[in-house]
Amino acid sequence: MNKLLPLLLLGIVLTGCESVTERVRERFAPVPPKTQVFAAGKKTVFSAALLAAKQTGFTLQRGSESDGTISAYSRVRPGDSVRAALQFTIEVQLTAVTDTTTEVAVRLAELREGELSTGGGEVPLREHGLYSSYFEALERNLAGQDAVKSVPAKP
């Protein structure tokens, strides 16, 4: 019986190793951006993307139309504990696929400070509702620009 217990513990440990390494690998693997392709030129998508960031509660930090990049941050919100704070950052990369289509790649990160359990810092987000909110705002802005362009001029 004395020799059976260590063998059982070893079996349990080895069985769980695969799931542990998978979780560790997932935690340290880079988070891929969420992407969508839009039927508009890069310049048009860039102005709509800037407006979408503002509409979803972000403040522009950097933006370059020639590079097709936008960096923005949200306001600081109180965290779960008394002295904790929470903020989101968004990185947008625009790539012209053709003259009339543009790919938009978005990465979100969460900045937590003062959290005792996590230690704070920046955490890339694989899934979050802000992704869909941002893409929906971008689609609305592009649809609004098309509507403005298609309004007939007065004679």
Side-chain angles (χ1 to χ4, degrees):
M1 186 70 179
N2 278 350
K3 293 180 182 182
L4 185 60
L5 186 59
L7 287 174
L8 284 174
L9 289 175
L10 181 64
I12 291 170
V13 169
L14 291 177
T15 305
C17 283
E18 185 177 320
S19 63
V20 170
T21 56
E22 185 177 312
R23 287 183 293 190
V24 169
R25 190 175 323 125
E26 183 178 295
R27 178 165 170 83
F28 293 106
V31 175
K34 301 288 185 191
T35 60
Q36 284 191 18
V37 177
F38 294 92
K42 187 176 174 182
K43 184 176 182 176
T44 304
V45 174
F46 182 80
S47 61
L50 281 175
L51 184 57
K54 186 175 181 178
Q55 291 169 335
T56 52
F58 288 94
T59 302
L60 181 66
Q61 182 176 8
R62 285 184 313 272
S64 171
E65 185 178 328
S66 61
D67 292 338
T69 58
I70 299 170
S71 297
Y73 57 91
S74 71
R75 67 180 179 83
V76 177
R77 298 180 175 114
D80 296 336
S81 63
V82 177
R83 293 188 178 160
L86 170 69
Q87 186 176 36
F88 293 101
T89 61
I90 188 169
E91 299 286 330
V92 181
Q93 178 68 52
L94 307 177
T95 307
V97 178
T98 66
D99 290 343
T100 58
T101 58
T102 305
E103 180 185 69
V104 178
V106 178
R107 278 194 178 100
L108 287 169
E110 183 179 63
L111 300 169
R112 288 187 173 266
E113 294 300 326
E115 292 282 333
L116 295 175
S117 61
T118 61
E122 184 176 28
V123 178
L125 299 173
R126 291 184 188 281
E127 299 295 328
H128 198 278
L130 278 172
Y131 282 114
S132 60
S133 297
Y134 179 80
F135 281 123
E136 288 169 7
L138 180 53
E139 286 179 26
R140 278 194 312 271
N141 294 338
L142 288 170
Q145 287 179 359
D146 289 342
V148 170
K149 288 180 185 176
S150 67
V151 174
K154 294 183 181 179

